[in-house]
Amino acid sequence: MRVVSERDIRASLVNCTKGEAKRLAVPRDLAARPWDDLDFLGWRDPASPERAYLVAESGDGFVGVALRRAAPHAGHVRRSMCSFCLTMHTGDGVSLMTARRAGRTGQQGNSVGAYICTDLACSLYLRGKKEVGPGGRLHESLTLEEQIERTAANLAGFLDKVVG
C-alpha cells in the first residue's frame, strides 16, 4: 500500500460529514507503519473503542470508511472467521463492524456490515507478521499472493457496498 497522510485519510472518508472527518482520531504512528505489508490501513479510535476506520487504495486515490463495532457478547467463548482475510480468532478477535452507507442511503440510516479482525490487522496475519495462535491461519493450497488478492477482493466488495 502507498503511504497515507493525515490529509489523505480525512479526504478519503466517504461515509462521514466533513466535520466528522475533521474530528476523527488519526493514528500518530503513520510514519512507522509497515506500508509494504499493508493492503489497507485500519485502526480503532483509542478514545472510543466502538469506532474504527479503514482506508484502502482505489484507483489513483484512497477510499476510507468509518466503522462501528458491535458490542461483543460477554461470556461466549467462540471461534470466528474474518470475512476479509479468513483468519480464525477466539473470543472477541473478530467483530461485526458496520459502516453507514455513503450518500443519501446512509443519511437514511442504511448500513453495511462485515465480520472483520477486531484489530484490523488482516494484512499482517496473512503475511505471518502478527501471530494469531494455534489454528488461526488454516493451511491453504493458495499462494500468499493469491490469498492477498482474495483479501483485496473481499475488501473491495465491502467498500463497493458502502459506496454503492
Side-chain angles (χ1 to χ4, degrees), residues 67-80:
L67 302 165
R68 285 242 181 235
R69 178 181 176 215
H73 296 283
H76 290 113
V77 177
R78 66 188 194 293
R79 275 182 100 63
S80 301

Side-chain angles (χ1 to χ4, degrees), residues 1-2 12 39 55-64 156 159-160 163:
M1 177 173 186
R2 289 182 291 140
S12 73
D39 303 307
V55 177
E57 289 186 71
S58 177
D60 293 335
F62 298 101
V63 173
L159 293 175
D160 287 346
V163 174

Side-chain angles (χ1 to χ4, degrees), residues 29-41:
D29 65 343
L30 288 176
R33 296 283 172 136
W35 295 105
D36 291 339
D37 292 325
L38 296 181
D39 303 307
F40 63 90
L41 172 66

Side-chain angles (χ1 to χ4, degrees), residues 24-28 43-53:
L24 74 87
V26 174
R28 297 178 192 264
W43 74 99
R44 293 192 33 211
D45 187 334
S48 183
E50 76 277 356
R51 289 188 190 153
Y53 303 93

Side-chain angles (χ1 to χ4, degrees), residues 62-113:
F62 298 101
V63 173
V65 295
L67 302 165
R68 285 242 181 235
R69 178 181 176 215
H73 296 283
H76 290 113
V77 177
R78 66 188 194 293
R79 275 182 100 63
S80 301
M81 181 182 283
C82 174
S83 61
F84 288 175
C85 66
L86 306 187
T87 299
M88 298 286 292
H89 293 273
T90 57
D92 66 350
V94 170
S95 296
L96 174 61
M97 303 268 192
T98 57
R100 185 173 62 216
R101 294 192 65 193
R104 184 166 303 282
T105 56
Q107 293 168 352
Q108 294 171 346
N110 294 316
S111 61
V112 177

